[in-house]
Amino acid sequence: MSFSKSFLQWLNTLSPVRMILFFYFIAAIFSTLLLCLPFAYQGGVEVPFIDIVFTAISALSVTGLSTITIADTLSTSGIFLLAFIMQLGAVGVMAIGTFIWLILGKKIGFKERQLIMTDQNQTSFEGMVRLIKQIVLVLFTVELFAFLILGTYFLKYFSQPSEAYLHGFFGTISAVTNAGFDITGSSLIPYKDDYFVQFIYMLLIIFGAIGFPVLIEVKNYLFKRNDKRATTHFSLFTKLTSFTFLVLIVVGTLVFYLLDMNHFLAGKTWHESLFYSLFQSITTRSGGLSTMDVSQLTESNQLWLSFLMFIGASPSSAGGGIRTTTFALVVIFIVTYARGGSSIRIFRREVHEDDLLKAVTVTLMALIFVFASVLFITTIEPFSITKILFEVTSAFGTVGLSLGITGDLTTVSKVILMFLMFVGRVGIITFLFMFKKTKKTGSYHYPKERISIG
Amino acid sequence: MSFSKSFLQWLNTLSPVRMILFFYFIAAIFSTLLLCLPFAYQGGVEVPFIDIVFTAISALSVTGLSTITIADTLSTSGIFLLAFIMQLGAVGVMAIGTFIWLILGKKIGFKERQLIMTDQNQTSFEGMVRLIKQIVLVLFTVELFAFLILGTYFLKYFSQPSEAYLHGFFGTISAVTNAGFDITGSSLIPYKDDYFVQFIYMLLIIFGAIGFPVLIEVKNYLFKRNDKRATTHFSLFTKLTSFTFLVLIVVGTLVFYLLDMNHFLAGKTWHESLFYSLFQSITTRSGGLSTMDVSQLTESNQLWLSFLMFIGASPSSAGGGIRTTTFALVVIFIVTYARGGSSIRIFRREVHEDDLLKAVTVTLMALIFVFASVLFITTIEPFSITKILFEVTSAFGTVGLSLGITGDLTTVSKVILMFLMFVGRVGIITFLFMFKKTKKTGSYHYPKERISIG
Ligand SMILES: [K+]
Ligand SMILES: [K+]
């Protein structure tokens, strides 16, 4: 029996959550080791170990929060290593998302999953491997096109073609994986008036954040014969997550504009205002790149962006947060129970109550994590609560926007942020599985008695 | 047919919520008119109308937030008028709480309610009137004793007996009703070293905040013959609310101490630290009086107090917020669903799932109200988000603590705070009834489809 085969068999004996943890920690150690290589840094640069770990975790969880300035610290080799870690993180995350979707969500009636699991008569593990291959293929195809377009376009900005294509390469990886790191030293601010670059970046960020199941369903729809398209049935998941994604972008843009129209956006033209608002709204889904310094926004707008980052991206995507679907289900939950109705319908489908309860649990737990983190960090840091809340939601949503305090935080705060990136990345549902009781507790029942909530 | 009889009959035709609204608005107008009387003010004092309305609403909702300094503004007659409005508010609130408990909660198996409703064969309206009489009697008895004790004790502080007893009178009303207004000009800071005064005040605040059903059950227990006590069964409601109340006070005290031990409490003796921490923890249940200037606390502690105020007091009490029971049920909800269990037990009783869902709905709605208010107020005020969050949770929890910005707020912000006091006071559950559909929507069902949250 070969080593790889017995390793695979050992993997199969692990519980799904332990397997995820195992892969995550192996990847974290591997990424940290990569960033410990001396040739990854520019000459004369010394980076403390905690910042190496932080950068590795930030890249692996495709968050993009950074305690160092990449452009001033990493060598070209280091930039390639960082891009590799981000790529690993994004594929891993999508794979993990799909994995959960396959293994844990057996009752979830996705057509695609059923196709893989039943029609092709494969074991779930083999099905997973096949799906990951599919993810990597789609990802690489999109990245290749984006790299060629951006790199070529950047010839306009850089005298050296190698520099232009390096920026095109790193920018593509950073946007598609939703990592949000930059090698410009100031995110996308150099392109604040270049709507073409921004448009490409927005498409790439959305691609990475909208969720793999949506991409697969859309791909299947596009590659179908024309006469069969009319009968195509998008899953409730795809409809709900895409609709929520769209609503969040539109409302995010609008409120962003309203909160800063007399401040940062004062005196800007309508198209400047539109692109600033739209780009920053999209980037809170989990992108993390920005076309402006967000610390220049009003405190209200920073609070608003914190809220958007807390929600984060769609499930099974490269993004974090509570997820768009969770947010949508919580809204549905509130509306339903506030109005006293019992049957919950969206897109002519009834939502299962268990899903609503799960969504509410996730949201409440996330609120507790965020509140506890903010409360704790404020006791050891001199920064305002708004700044700390922004940093915390940015880590939890794996967004990577910052009001500029990441580098000045103490080690304890950095560790908390790393923990939040991890939780935000694997998702609270997965995180909860670690503590889940496997055995049902007793089958006897106490007499019921109601409690008034008033 | 007499006028009062036909008025009562008209009242009976109103829906419970409309009846509450009707009483609240009548009381609000009446209170505002009282505070418009010229002799309520000291000579030469001019108070803007918005501040008169604000004070009236704040007193009626027994919040205690104030845009004016009572000691420098109101005459002795004005102080009596204010005490009267607070008393009216507290009785009204307890009555409304009990009213909801009687009329809306027909399925709630409280022994006491059943006694009133069934055994004595009364209509619900007559039962309510009888209960309100009982509330007023208990309240007045406690107030009389507290007034005599505090007034007599205050002879130590004031040369004039009339002044001592005025302070004893107002202090008693302010504490028992949990209004939290003061006529010292600096809350209870003059008594910061007088543990006897603080002890009496703490007892009075707890009395007002622990909830009327608890008081009734304890009273029944105390007045029972000794041999019958062993068989006394306290309701799940009383156990849960009292337990949560106690835990919140203890944890509140502990965290308060930890967050300020190196700051405000640095260099203080153990008993000073204990009383500062304990009193401020208790006052966040809804009291609003304080033995120190809370703006001197660390920002972390101010955030912590905001959290405690958001929870507020017990149901059917003189306090506001989401209520202690709601908080307890949300915690139970999270623990249960996070661990994947389905049967929820506390104190050897099974909790009804509908109550958990109600509690979660209330909490999420309250979070939305608070977040939206903070976001909106930050756009029009120059103060930090911590200060505004503190003010907003203080209004919603009808606590009345402030970091000192209430008087400087614009009219729009004052109106928002008044709205929050109203919602916090009548409770979100009652508030929701206003928008509740009375007719069930359709009985047909769409096919179910599950959604993954992850
Ligand atoms: K990111
Ligand atoms: K109060």
Side-chain angles (χ1 to χ4, degrees):
Chain A
M1 196 184 272
S2 71
F3 170 76
S4 77
K5 202 166 183 184
S6 64
F7 176 70
L8 276 181
Q9 281 184 341
W10 173 77
L11 269 185
N12 262 328
T13 65
L14 288 179
S15 75
V17 170
R18 292 215 174 136
M19 212 189 282
I20 290 168
L21 272 182
F22 173 77
F23 278 123
Y24 195 86
F25 280 111
I26 292 289
I29 292 165
F30 178 65
S31 306
T32 306
L33 285 178
L34 280 184
L35 289 184
C36 280
L37 295 171
F39 63 81
Y41 299 90
Q42 293 173 20
V45 173
E46 276 280 340
V47 179
F49 183 66
I50 177 71
D51 293 319
I52 294 178
V53 180
F54 194 92
T55 309
I57 299 285
S58 184
L60 189 65
S61 65
V62 291
T63 302
L65 275 177
S66 186
T67 55
I68 56 171
T69 309
I70 305 300
D72 302 340
T73 315
L74 293 186
S75 64
T76 305
S77 313
I79 288 172
F80 276 105
L81 287 177
L82 191 65
F84 174 74
I85 299 172
M86 296 181 327
Q87 190 77 324
L88 183 74
V91 172
V93 156
M94 283 187 166
I96 286 171
T98 314
F99 178 62
I100 295 166
W101 182 56
L102 276 170
I103 314 266
L104 304 179
K106 281 189 179 151
K107 284 173 200 159
I108 303 167
F110 288 121
K111 235 179 178 174
E112 181 67 20
R113 195 191 59 78
Q114 286 168 340
L115 274 174
I116 295 155
M117 302 281 286
T118 324
D119 290 8
Q120 312 196 0
N121 220 356
Q122 294 175 118
T123 69
S124 56
F125 193 76
E126 281 161 355
M128 194 186 93
V129 171
R130 198 180 147 275
L131 245 184
I132 293 174
K133 278 185 188 159
Q134 217 175 335
I135 296 173
V136 173
L137 186 73
V138 172
L139 201 65
F140 279 9
T141 311
V142 170
E143 281 175 351
L144 183 66
F145 277 101
F147 161 64
L148 291 174
I149 294 170
L150 276 182
T152 310
Y153 187 82
F154 280 159
L155 291 170
K156 181 177 152 187
Y157 287 96
F158 302 95
S159 49
Q160 296 282 328
S162 65
E163 213 183 346
Y165 280 101
L166 179 66
H167 276 263
F169 167 76
F170 192 87
T172 296
I173 305 275
S174 183
V176 170
T177 63
N178 270 236
F181 279 107
D182 65 85
I183 54 170
T184 63
S186 55
S187 203
L188 293 188
I189 297 177
Y191 312 113
K192 66 185 166 62
D193 299 318
D194 192 326
Y195 298 150
F196 176 75
V197 169
Q198 291 183 36
F199 181 71
I200 297 289
Y201 270 98
M202 287 193 274
L203 283 186
L204 294 178
I205 290 173
I206 291 174
F207 178 85
I210 196 127
F212 182 68
V214 175
L215 296 179
I216 288 285
E217 284 194 32
V218 170
K219 191 202 81 182
N220 289 348
Y221 177 77
L222 293 177
F223 284 79
K224 249 186 193 165
R225 275 174 38 212
N226 273 337
D227 55 328
K228 282 202 173 173
R229 280 196 191 163
T231 61
T232 302
H233 162 78
F234 283 105
S235 70
L236 178 58
F237 172 85
T238 289
K239 282 182 207 156
L240 181 64
T241 193
S242 308
F243 178 74
T244 311
F245 203 93
L246 187 73
V247 168
L248 283 172
I249 287 176
V250 172
V251 174
T253 305
L254 201 68
V255 176
F256 182 97
Y257 173 74
L258 289 174
L259 293 177
D260 254 287
M261 62 182 177
N262 296 320
H263 191 260
F264 179 80
L265 300 175
K268 301 262 192 303
T269 62
W270 70 265
H271 48 86
E272 280 173 329
S273 294
L274 173 69
F275 267 82
Y276 275 122
S277 306
L278 184 63
F279 195 94
Q280 264 58 239
S281 173
I282 288 177
T283 209
T284 58
R285 285 286 61 67
S286 122
L289 291 162
S290 59
T291 58
M292 55 166 299
D293 177 4
V294 284
S295 66
Q296 285 180 31
L297 295 169
T298 59
E299 215 182 349
S300 324
N301 217 349
Q302 291 165 359
L303 190 62
W304 173 245
L305 293 185
S306 299
F307 169 71
L308 291 177
M309 294 193 292
F310 176 75
I311 299 174
S314 292
S316 304
S317 74
I322 60 168
R323 314 293 197 246
T324 52
T325 35
T326 306
F327 176 70
L329 290 179
V330 167
V331 171
I332 293 168
F333 176 89
I334 295 173
V335 172
T336 306
Y337 283 93
R339 295 173 79 196
S342 56
S343 154
I344 302 131
R345 286 169 218 147
I346 38 170
F347 299 112
R348 305 189 147 246
R349 281 286 178 280
E350 230 170 76
V351 179
H352 202 292
E353 205 194 21
D354 281 1
D355 293 328
L356 290 178
L357 297 183
K358 237 190 244 169
V360 169
T361 309
V362 164
T363 305
L364 290 171
M365 294 253 337
L367 284 170
I368 292 171
F369 276 129
V370 166
F371 180 78
S373 304
V374 170
L375 188 63
F376 186 80
I377 293 176
T378 51
T379 64
I380 51 174
E381 305 288 347
F383 309 111
S384 77
I385 285 182
T386 309
K387 283 201 170 68
I388 292 167
L389 174 70
F390 198 89
E391 206 77 8
V392 163
T393 50
S394 179
F396 175 71
T398 69
V399 175
L401 291 174
S402 169
L403 295 175
I405 63 169
T406 324
D408 302 325
L409 294 173
T410 59
T411 301
V412 177
S413 303
K414 286 176 187 169
V415 171
I416 295 174
L417 290 186
M418 285 192 265
F419 171 76
L420 286 171
M421 290 188 230
F422 167 67
V423 175
R425 163 54 66 236
V426 302
I428 285 193
I429 278 284
T430 314
F431 184 76
L432 285 181
F433 270 103
M434 296 176 205
F435 307 104
K436 200 158 192 168
K437 280 188 184 173
T438 41
K439 256 181 82 178
K440 284 234 169 179
T441 49
S443 57
Y444 60 95
H445 290 272
Y446 287 111
K448 283 200 184 184
E449 185 171 336
R450 303 204 55 185
I451 292 167
S452 86
I453 303 156
Chain B
M1 195 184 274
S2 71
F3 168 75
S4 76
K5 202 165 182 183
S6 62
F7 175 70
L8 278 181
Q9 282 185 341
W10 173 76
L11 269 185
N12 263 328
T13 64
L14 287 180
S15 76
V17 170
R18 290 215 175 137
M19 212 188 281
I20 290 168
L21 272 182
F22 173 76
F23 277 123
Y24 195 87
F25 279 110
I26 293 289
I29 292 165
F30 178 65
S31 306
T32 307
L33 285 177
L34 280 184
L35 289 183
C36 281
L37 295 172
F39 63 82
Y41 299 90
Q42 292 171 19
V45 173
E46 276 280 341
V47 179
F49 184 67
I50 177 72
D51 293 318
I52 294 178
V53 180
F54 193 91
T55 308
I57 299 287
S58 184
L60 189 66
S61 65
V62 290
T63 302
L65 276 176
S66 186
T67 55
I68 55 171
T69 310
I70 305 300
D72 301 340
T73 315
L74 293 187
S75 64
T76 306
S77 313
I79 288 172
F80 277 105
L81 286 178
L82 190 65
F84 174 75
I85 298 170
M86 296 180 329
Q87 189 77 324
L88 183 74
V91 172
V93 157
M94 284 188 166
I96 287 171
T98 315
F99 178 61
I100 294 165
W101 183 56
L102 278 170
I103 315 265
L104 304 180
K106 278 186 181 154
K107 283 172 202 159
I108 303 167
F110 289 120
K111 235 179 179 173
E112 181 68 20
R113 196 191 60 78
Q114 285 168 339
L115 276 174
I116 295 156
M117 301 282 285
T118 324
D119 290 6
Q120 312 196 359
N121 220 356
Q122 295 174 116
T123 69
S124 56
F125 193 76
E126 279 161 357
M128 191 185 96
V129 170
R130 198 181 148 275
L131 246 185
I132 293 173
K133 277 184 188 161
Q134 218 175 333
I135 296 171
V136 173
L137 187 71
V138 172
L139 201 66
F140 279 11
T141 310
V142 169
E143 282 175 350
L144 184 65
F145 277 101
F147 160 65
L148 290 174
I149 293 169
L150 276 182
T152 309
Y153 186 82
F154 280 158
L155 290 170
K156 182 177 151 186
Y157 288 95
F158 301 95
S159 51
Q160 295 282 329
S162 64
E163 213 182 347
Y165 281 101
L166 178 66
H167 275 262
F169 167 75
F170 192 87
T172 297
I173 306 274
S174 182
V176 170
T177 62
N178 270 237
F181 279 108
D182 66 84
I183 55 171
T184 64
S186 56
S187 204
L188 293 189
I189 296 177
Y191 311 114
K192 67 185 165 60
D193 299 318
D194 192 326
Y195 298 150
F196 177 75
V197 169
Q198 291 182 36
F199 181 71
I200 298 288
Y201 270 98
M202 288 193 273
L203 283 187
L204 294 178
I205 290 172
I206 291 174
F207 178 86
I210 196 127
F212 182 68
V214 175
L215 296 179
I216 287 283
E217 284 193 33
V218 170
K219 193 202 79 180
N220 289 348
Y221 177 77
L222 293 177
F223 283 81
K224 244 183 198 169
R225 274 173 40 209
N226 273 336
D227 56 326
K228 283 201 172 173
R229 278 194 193 166
T231 61
T232 301
H233 161 79
F234 282 106
S235 70
L236 177 59
F237 172 85
T238 287
K239 282 182 209 158
L240 181 65
T241 191
S242 307
F243 178 74
T244 312
F245 203 92
L246 187 72
V247 168
L248 282 172
I249 287 176
V250 172
V251 175
T253 304
L254 201 69
V255 176
F256 182 97
Y257 173 75
L258 290 174
L259 292 178
D260 254 287
M261 61 181 178
N262 295 321
H263 191 260
F264 180 79
L265 298 176
K268 301 261 193 301
T269 63
W270 69 266
H271 48 86
E272 281 174 328
S273 294
L274 174 68
F275 266 83
Y276 275 122
S277 306
L278 184 63
F279 195 94
Q280 264 60 238
S281 173
I282 288 177
T283 209
T284 57
R285 286 284 63 67
S286 126
L289 290 161
S290 59
T291 59
M292 56 166 300
D293 177 5
V294 285
S295 66
Q296 285 179 32
L297 295 169
T298 59
E299 215 181 350
S300 326
N301 219 347
Q302 291 165 358
L303 190 61
W304 173 244
L305 293 184
S306 298
F307 169 69
L308 291 177
M309 295 194 291
F310 176 75
I311 299 174
S314 291
S316 303
S317 74
I322 60 168
R323 313 293 196 246
T324 52
T325 35
T326 306
F327 176 71
L329 291 178
V330 167
V331 172
I332 294 167
F333 175 89
I334 294 173
V335 172
T336 307
Y337 283 93
R339 295 174 78 197
S342 56
S343 152
I344 303 130
R345 286 168 217 146
I346 37 169
F347 300 112
R348 307 187 146 247
R349 282 286 179 281
E350 230 171 77
V351 179
H352 203 291
E353 205 195 22
D354 281 1
D355 293 328
L356 290 178
L357 298 183
K358 237 191 243 171
V360 170
T361 310
V362 164
T363 305
L364 290 171
M365 295 252 339
L367 283 170
I368 293 171
F369 275 131
V370 166
F371 180 78
S373 303
V374 170
L375 189 64
F376 187 80
I377 293 177
T378 52
T379 64
I380 52 174
E381 306 288 346
F383 308 112
S384 78
I385 284 181
T386 310
K387 283 201 170 67
I388 291 166
L389 174 70
F390 198 89
E391 205 77 9
V392 163
T393 50
S394 180
F396 175 70
T398 69
V399 176
L401 292 173
S402 170
L403 295 174
I405 63 168
T406 325
D408 302 325
L409 295 172
T410 58
T411 301
V412 177
S413 303
K414 286 177 187 169
V415 171
I416 295 175
L417 290 185
M418 285 193 265
F419 170 76
L420 285 171
M421 291 189 232
F422 167 68
V423 174
R425 165 53 66 235
V426 301
I428 285 193
I429 278 284
T430 314
F431 184 75
L432 285 181
F433 270 103
M434 295 176 205
F435 306 105
K436 201 158 192 168
K437 277 189 185 173
T438 41
K439 258 179 83 178
K440 284 233 170 179
T441 49
S443 56
Y444 60 96
H445 291 271
Y446 286 112
K448 282 198 185 184
E449 185 170 336
R450 302 203 56 185
I451 291 167
S452 86
I453 303 155

